[in-house]
Amino acid sequence: MRKLTLAFAVLASLGGASLATSASAAPGAPLGVTAPETVSTVQMTRMERRMMERRMDRRMDRRMERRRMERRMMHRRMMRRM
């Protein structure tokens, strides 16, 4: 059992290493790392920021409403037990 696990680990590491070297565009660079000159900052517009705030507000309202409903259901259960 231990030898089988070790064999799978070795094969997985060899397979991952071969994929990483053959699939990368820049040899020697880790995956997901880009050159600093290609990275740029993007600022949201007023409309995008407002839409995001509305989405967050709606999400918070839904969560609060769900918690309120759960509390009410628990209260009903407690009342039924008595």
Side-chain angles (χ1 to χ4, degrees):
M1 183 69 179
R2 191 177 289 174
K3 289 182 181 179
L4 184 65
T5 308
L6 180 64
F8 279 132
V10 170
L11 286 175
S13 65
L14 289 176
S18 67
L19 284 175
T21 56
S22 64
S24 65
L31 293 176
V33 176
T34 58
E37 60 268 5
T38 61
V39 177
S40 62
T41 58
V42 178
Q43 195 167 7
M44 278 192 280
T45 62
R46 286 182 184 168
M47 185 62 76
E48 289 173 337
R49 187 179 307 274
R50 184 66 186 133
M51 286 172 60
M52 191 176 86
E53 286 176 4
R54 285 181 182 170
R55 189 168 52 235
M56 297 282 279
D57 286 343
R58 288 181 190 138
R59 182 176 179 220
M60 190 164 48
D61 287 343
R62 280 195 309 264
R63 290 175 69 187
M64 287 179 6
E65 184 67 25
R66 188 182 312 142
R67 287 179 186 159
R68 181 171 163 264
M69 292 296 286
E70 286 174 358
R71 280 195 220 110
R72 288 177 66 193
M73 293 298 286
M74 286 299 290
H75 181 70
R76 285 182 187 167
R77 285 184 194 158
M78 294 295 283
M79 293 301 283
R80 283 182 187 168
R81 286 182 183 175
M82 291 183 171

